Amino acid sequence: MRWYSDRTGFPLIEVEEIACAVHLLPVTKIQFEQFLATGEGYGDAWYQSLLDLNPRITPFKYEGRERERFFISGILPGEAEAFTKWLGDDYRLPSAREWVQIYNYANKEFGRGFLDSIPSADRKSTRLNSSHIPLSRMPSSA
């Protein structure tokens, strides 16, 4: 099992079955704020509208029941794509087929139900909210 980190320092794990690496966690507000700090087209008012729906929480105030507040939510697919492009040329959102393979890989490697413990705003569906889709990076050929 190989691990990588993205330009924000957050971990990705290699999924050999689909020849890519996938973020281990949903995209955090800390990661997304690094993207916003570059001035890539989204302003303070835009971000504040997201925080109005899902306010920030600091690790010091975390009590175990508000873990969704660590992760970015409410972004549109185009905004998620802009974030992936900012991460680098090799980053993109996984396809539905790849998501199934990622899910099966995680269950095999980490035990059944591993991905079920990751926050999702859409529990009644097998599809994840666009803000919680882990990003993928094709391993570079070095």
Side-chain angles (χ1 to χ4, degrees), residues 42-52:
Y42 303 98
D44 292 341
W46 175 86
Y47 189 52
Q48 186 58 52
S49 69
L50 293 180
L51 293 179
D52 289 345

Side-chain angles (χ1 to χ4, degrees), residues 72-122:
I72 194 70
S73 61
I75 63 173
L76 299 173
E79 295 158 349
E81 289 289 344
F83 177 71
T84 63
K85 287 184 177 121
W86 172 79
L87 283 173
D89 291 337
D90 294 337
Y91 288 81
R92 62 181 173 74
L93 297 174
S95 68
R97 182 173 162 256
E98 288 169 327
W99 234 137
V100 169
Q101 292 172 309
I102 291 164
Y103 184 84
N104 291 336
Y105 176 83
N107 281 328
K108 181 180 78 179
E109 288 293 317
F110 305 112
R112 271 255 167 251
F114 172 76
L115 289 178
D116 296 334
S117 67
I118 295 175
S120 174
D122 189 11

Side-chain angles (χ1 to χ4, degrees), residues 2 4 90 137-142:
R2 292 179 58 187
Y4 302 90
D90 294 337
R137 178 178 79 78
M138 300 306 287
S140 56
S141 53

Side-chain angles (χ1 to χ4, degrees), residues 57-82:
I57 189 169
T58 67
F60 304 108
K61 294 188 178 189
Y62 175 67
E63 296 179 2
R65 62 184 182 274
E66 297 178 309
R67 65 183 179 195
E68 288 86 0
R69 290 179 57 191
F70 286 115
F71 305 107
I72 194 70
S73 61
I75 63 173
L76 299 173
E79 295 158 349
E81 289 289 344

